[in-house]
Amino acid sequence: MTRALLLIGHGSHLDANSSRPVFENARRLRATGAFDEVRPAFWKEEPSLARALDGCAASEVTIVPLFMSTGYFTEQVIPREMGLDGAVTVRGGQTVRYTPPVGAHPALARVIVARALEAGATAGDAIAVLGHGTPRNPNSERTIYEQTERVRATGRFAEVTTVFMDQEPAMGGVFERVAAGTVVMVPLFIAEGWHVGQTIPEELDIHGPSAREDGRRLIYARPVGTHPCLSDVVLELASEAARW
C-alpha cells in the first residue's frame, strides 16, 4: 500500500502569502516520511483542485483542507472540483479520504493558545478569537465558536470571546465584549494575507503589534495558520481518517 497526502488551500492571484502556509506544511509533512507523496493544490492557483489527483498513483489518498471553517468551500467547492463522493471515494482501485478542515479539529485550540502566549497573553488577559465570518453558511461561524469554547475550557485566560471580520459580533467592538484591560486577538486565518496584513489592522487602527484605547490595550497576534504546529493538526486528521 502506498499513501499520498493532498493539502488543499484557497490560494490567491493577488497575494503570494496566501499559498505560502500550504507549501510550508507540505514541506514539513514530506520530511516526516509518513507519506509516500505530499502534494499541494488550490482553488485560485496552480496546481488546481480539478487536476490535483492527476498522476497520483497511491492506493490510499488523504485530502486535508487547510481552511479555518467548515463552509461553502469545504462542503461544496472542493468535493465538486475533485469529484468526491463524500468522506470516502473509491475508484479505480484507489481510496480517497476527505477530512474536515484543520480549523474544525479540536487540536487547533492548542495552536490558538500558543499564538496568544507568543503574543504575550497572561492569565489575567482576555483572548478574542477572530474569524472571517459569512452570512452565506452557518457552519462557518459554528466552527469558530467551537474553537472559542475549547480555548475557554483550558482555563488559561480570564476571558475568551469570539469576534468576526464580516459579521456580528464585529471585531471593532471587542472591548465591549470583555472586561480585561488587555485583549489578545488571535486571527483564525491560514495566511498572512490581505485581510490579516491590511484590512483588519486598518479597521482596528493597529499600527504595529498593539494599539491602545481609553487606557486598554489590544494585542494583535499572528494567524494560527502560519504556526508550525498546524502540521501536527494535519497529521491527526490524516490518522483519524485512516481508520474510516
Side-chain angles (χ1 to χ4, degrees), residues 230-242:
L230 193 71
S231 295
D232 296 332
V233 181
V234 174
L235 286 173
E236 291 196 41
L237 279 162
S239 177
E240 291 166 5

Side-chain angles (χ1 to χ4, degrees), residues 40 43 49 67 70 79 83-84 88 103-104 125 128 142 165 173 184-185 197 201:
W43 170 235
L49 293 180
F67 283 72
T70 301
L84 304 179
V88 180
D125 296 336
R142 186 178 302 123
M165 187 184 77
V184 179
M185 185 175 289

Side-chain angles (χ1 to χ4, degrees), residues 187-217:
L188 258 65
F189 286 71
I190 286 292
E192 299 261 14
W194 182 54
H195 287 312
V196 171
Q198 295 184 49
T199 60
I200 294 171
E202 286 174 3
E203 183 170 336
L204 296 174
D205 199 24
I206 295 177
H207 305 284
S210 65
R212 293 187 180 274
E213 180 179 316
D214 297 329
R216 302 172 74 185
R217 187 183 183 200

Side-chain angles (χ1 to χ4, degrees), residues 5 7 22-35 37-38 64 66 230-236 238:
L5 175 68
L7 300 181
V22 181
F23 286 111
E24 290 178 347
N25 277 285
R27 175 181 52 78
R28 290 190 201 101
L29 291 161
R30 227 174 261 123
T32 68
F35 304 92
E37 185 178 10
V38 179
V64 179
L66 265 62
L230 193 71
S231 295
D232 296 332
V233 181
V234 174
L235 286 173
E236 291 196 41

Side-chain angles (χ1 to χ4, degrees), residues 5-18:
L5 175 68
L6 269 63
L7 300 181
I8 307 301
H10 188 284
S12 170
H13 299 308
L14 304 174
D15 192 335
N17 286 328
S18 177

Side-chain angles (χ1 to χ4, degrees), residues 147-225:
Q147 293 297 355
T148 298
E149 286 302 318
R150 292 177 183 123
V151 175
R152 185 179 291 121
T154 67
R156 299 288 298 269
F157 309 104
E159 300 170 87
V160 184
T161 191
T162 305
V163 292
F164 293 96
M165 187 184 77
D166 273 354
Q167 69 178 68
E168 296 293 332
M171 60 186 180
V174 65
F175 283 129
E176 300 169 10
R177 297 184 59 78
V178 296
T182 297
V183 180
V184 179
M185 185 175 289
V186 182
L188 258 65
F189 286 71
I190 286 292
E192 299 261 14
W194 182 54
H195 287 312
V196 171
Q198 295 184 49
T199 60
I200 294 171
E202 286 174 3
E203 183 170 336
L204 296 174
D205 199 24
I206 295 177
H207 305 284
S210 65
R212 293 187 180 274
E213 180 179 316
D214 297 329
R216 302 172 74 185
R217 187 183 183 200
L218 174 64
I219 299 175
Y220 187 47
R222 297 187 63 198
V224 297

Side-chain angles (χ1 to χ4, degrees), residues 45-67:
E45 295 183 33
E46 294 293 334
S48 70
L49 293 180
R51 296 193 295 274
L53 290 168
D54 291 357
C56 183
S59 54
E60 301 276 340
V61 181
T62 303
I63 301 172
V64 179
L66 265 62
F67 283 72

